[in-house]
Amino acid sequence: MESQSLLFQVKSPSSLSCCIKNEQPKKVREENLRNRFRSLTAKRMMPRRLLLQFMGFSPLIAIAQPDFAATGPMLEMKEPEVIRTLKLPNGVRFQEILEGEGPKASEGNRVEINYVCRRSNGYFVHSTVDQFSGESSPVILPLDENEIIKGLKDVIVGMRVGGKRRALIPPSVGYINENLQPIPQEFGPRRSLMSHMNEPLIFEVQLLKLL
C-alpha cells in the first residue's frame, strides 16, 4: 500500500513550480538556438542573394517586373551569331564558317585548298587533312568548271584567303564525270568517293592561297 501511495502521490505546488522553472530555461535555450541558426543562415544567404540580384538573376524581379528584367544587365550579353545558309541558283547551299582577310578568289584563279568531303548523312568520305595526325596535304585546283566540280568552284569563287565555307553540293553540279577534281589519289578513298558520286556531298573548304 505504501508503494502504491507513492506511485499516485501528487507533487506539491511548490515542487511543480520548481519543475516548471527548470523546464522553462530549456525551452528558452532551444528557441534561442533556433533564432541564432536562422540569423546565421540569413547572413550566409544574403550575399549570394544580393550577388544574384546584381547580376540580373533575381526571380522576383523577372516575374513581378518583366519589363525591368528585360532591360537589365542581361541585355549587355551578346548572343552567338547565327550562321546563315545561302542558296545559289544551281542548288548549292553554303555557310560562311570563317571569313578570310586575304585577297578574294575569282573565276579562272588557281587556288590551294584543304577540304573535307562527307556524305549528306555526315559519314566521312575523304579529306586532305589526316584525321589522326592533323597533317595536311593541300591540293591545287583551277577555278574552272571543266576541271573541277562546278558546285565546288562556285563555292570557292568569292572566298577570301584564310576563309572557310561549308557547302552541300547536289549531284547535278557535282561529279558528273570521273575526271573532275578533286579526286583522291589513293585507291581506297577514290573508290569510296566514286561510290557516292551520285549523292549530295558536303564539302568543308579552307582557302589557303591564290596562285
Side-chain angles (χ1 to χ4, degrees):
M1 292 294 292
E2 185 175 354
S3 61
Q4 291 179 359
S5 63
L6 288 173
L7 286 173
F8 292 96
Q9 184 177 2
V10 179
K11 294 183 179 181
S12 64
S14 59
S15 62
L16 287 173
S17 63
C18 293
C19 292
I20 292 172
K21 289 179 181 179
N22 291 333
E23 290 178 3
Q24 189 172 4
K26 183 178 179 180
K27 292 181 179 179
V28 172
R29 286 196 300 272
E30 291 177 354
E31 186 65 27
N32 288 338
L33 286 173
R34 290 193 194 98
N35 293 334
R36 188 174 301 175
F37 179 77
R38 290 194 193 101
S39 64
L40 288 174
T41 304
K43 288 178 181 179
R44 290 175 182 175
M45 294 299 293
M46 187 59 68
R48 177 180 173 85
R49 187 177 302 168
L50 289 175
L51 177 61
L52 291 175
Q53 290 179 358
F54 175 75
M55 295 176 65
F57 288 103
S58 172
L60 293 178
I61 293 176
I63 295 172
Q65 299 179 4
D67 292 337
F68 178 80
T71 57
M74 293 298 290
L75 283 182
E76 298 176 2
M77 298 177 63
K78 294 183 178 179
E79 296 183 359
E81 294 183 2
V82 177
I83 300 177
R84 294 186 303 164
T85 300
L86 303 177
K87 183 178 180 180
L88 301 179
N90 58 17
V92 173
R93 298 174 183 268
F94 74 90
Q95 297 173 328
E96 193 88 42
I97 304 301
L98 177 65
E99 188 172 356
E101 298 180 354
K104 187 180 293 187
S106 302
E107 192 160 352
N109 288 148
R110 293 175 71 244
V111 296
E112 184 177 281
I113 64 168
N114 274 324
Y115 72 89
V116 179
C117 176
R118 301 179 186 274
R119 298 176 64 189
S120 59
N121 57 11
Y123 282 100
F124 176 83
V125 177
H126 182 248
S127 175
T128 58
V129 180
D130 189 277
Q131 296 183 356
F132 301 100
S133 66
E135 295 181 358
S136 65
S137 302
V139 295
I140 297 174
L141 301 172
L143 295 183
D144 181 349
E145 62 186 70
N146 295 318
E147 297 190 49
I148 70 171
I149 58 176
K150 176 176 171 53
L152 184 59
K153 186 265 296 182
D154 291 344
V155 169
I156 297 174
V157 169
M159 287 184 67
R160 292 186 178 276
V161 171
K164 289 182 182 180
R165 285 181 177 177
R166 183 185 296 122
L168 177 63
I169 299 177
S172 58
V173 287
Y175 290 97
I176 56 175
N177 67 66
E178 297 182 3
N179 297 320
L180 295 176
Q181 296 293 326
I183 295 288
Q185 299 300 318
E186 303 86 354
F187 175 76
R190 182 186 181 93
R191 182 179 178 183
S192 175
L193 177 62
M194 291 298 102
S195 65
H196 302 299
M197 63 187 303
N198 293 322
E199 304 176 11
L201 295 173
I202 296 173
F203 276 83
E204 188 164 332
V205 187
Q206 180 180 21
L207 180 57
L208 302 177
K209 64 175 70 172
L210 304 181
L211 302 174

